[in-house]
Amino acid sequence: MTAARRPTPTVPDTVTQAAHLGRARTAQTRVLLEDYVELIADLAGDAADAPPIGPSTLARHLGVSHATVIKCIGRLSREGLATTLPYRGVTLTQAGLALADRVRRRHRIVVALLRAVGVPEAEAAADAEGIEHHVSDKTLAAFERFLRHTPVG
Amino acid sequence: MTAARRPTPTVPDTVTQAAHLGRARTAQTRVLLEDYVELIADLAGDAADAPPIGPSTLARHLGVSHATVIKCIGRLSREGLATTLPYRGVTLTQAGLALADRVRRRHRIVVALLRAVGVPEAEAAADAEGIEHHVSDKTLAAFERFLRHTPVG
DNA sequence: CCGCATATGTAGCCATGGCTACAATTCGGT
DNA sequence: ACCGAATTGTAGCCATGGCTACATATGCGG
Ligand SMILES: [Mn+2]
Ligand SMILES: [Mn+2]
Ligand SMILES: [Mn+2]
Ligand SMILES: [Mn+2]
């Protein structure tokens, strides 16, 4: 039972595989933060006077309870991505805005790539919401290159 | 604070967005199961007499502790994907094998698509480990179509 | 200016998936 | 046969992110 008798060729070297899976696990811890800052930025609009967004609004868009949102806003704030005052909603910090920009850009590119390889609109929109969080910078760069060098969609 | 003054066009309709994010959240609950059955199938090889795999082997490949693996094997077994006997390792059920087949195929196709749009080998291998779990059947079908109609890489 | 609908916050529950520390079993080598 | 190393299992901790139920604050319409 120490190992498979034949180290099947489909199995990559052990430490590499562990690293890949670990990386995916780590990415998971960022998913919630990324979705929140992306949504907050989208809702607040691009004006300089971005208005604070309330928990119930976020809850509606996220499809979770407002209690859950309030807890997660605590984490956002602990991580320095947003500021919040009781009964006064949440506003992104500079760091939060910077992250939101990166996340929104990546989201757009992922959707565009999916569309470009023939994924239907609705599926692209839905799947991108999960895929985006696992697209590294290098992969994103490759996506952009592909989109530039590909005629239409 | 009830909503953004301008319902910025980047924000999709509320219930659609909630559905998309909810779908990504739901997918998350399958990630662990998928990675486990995929790994177990890979390690056991394709022989009919697939040998049971021990927790420590899985732990090494997954990059987590053996205690964590043992707990997760419990879930695998509760969900009918594997059987296990004390000190005798874990074996996939028919359902587990079927899931593993789907997951491994999807994994291959995702890696191939990433390579086809120009993602470097190492990045493709790493990112695929996270992306794969968020690729729906329709999106997978689109990937296959694209790969068929695209000359080389 | 006041009451009430709505939004916000708190408390406490649960499942998951990490971990370490320790206990028990197995099994190969002598 | 049996000893000891390696594997396996158990116990108990923690953080996360869901939820419901209840409590409190806000602010608008009348
Ligand atoms: Mn997302
Ligand atoms: Mn997104
Ligand atoms: Mn994976
Ligand atoms: Mn995989």
Side-chain angles (χ1 to χ4, degrees), chain B residues 7-72:
Chain B
T8 319
T10 53
V11 181
D13 131 73
T14 304
V15 304
T16 302
Q17 184 168 34
H20 290 174
L21 291 166
R23 174 161 151 179
R25 263 196 316 277
T26 297
Q28 192 48 41
T29 74
R30 281 189 304 262
V31 169
L32 181 128
L33 295 178
E34 292 182 349
D35 279 342
Y36 271 69
V37 297
E38 181 180 12
L39 178 58
I40 294 168
D42 280 346
L43 290 173
D46 294 323
D49 65 323
I53 309 293
S56 69
T57 303
L58 294 175
R60 268 191 301 275
H61 282 85
L62 292 164
V64 299
S65 78
H66 81 275
T68 295
V69 169
I70 288 171
K71 256 201 236 181
C72 293

